[in-house]
Amino acid sequence: MGIADMVLWPGTKVCEKLGIDPTSDAGLIRWMINTLIYLVLALILVWVIVV
């Protein structure tokens, strides 16, 4: 498992759970899910550091 696979893992698992092929539609659904997950994590991290 490479670094790219580890980064894309959350979106891949969510797509598999929803019954969507993670590589279909050029991976846009997986990309959107990963973006939302990492955005929330980054905002939480920034909030913890600032406060």
Side-chain angles (χ1 to χ4, degrees), residues 16-34:
E16 289 173 356
K17 187 164 183 105
L18 295 174
I20 302 170
D21 180 22
T23 59
S24 65
D25 297 324
L28 290 176
I29 297 171
R30 179 175 60 176
W31 171 82
M32 180 189 69
I33 293 167
N34 282 323

Side-chain angles (χ1 to χ4, degrees), residues 25-44:
D25 297 324
L28 290 176
I29 297 171
R30 179 175 60 176
W31 171 82
M32 180 189 69
I33 293 167
N34 282 323
T35 300
L36 292 174
I37 289 170
Y38 290 124
L39 173 67
V40 169
L41 291 175
L43 289 173
I44 290 170

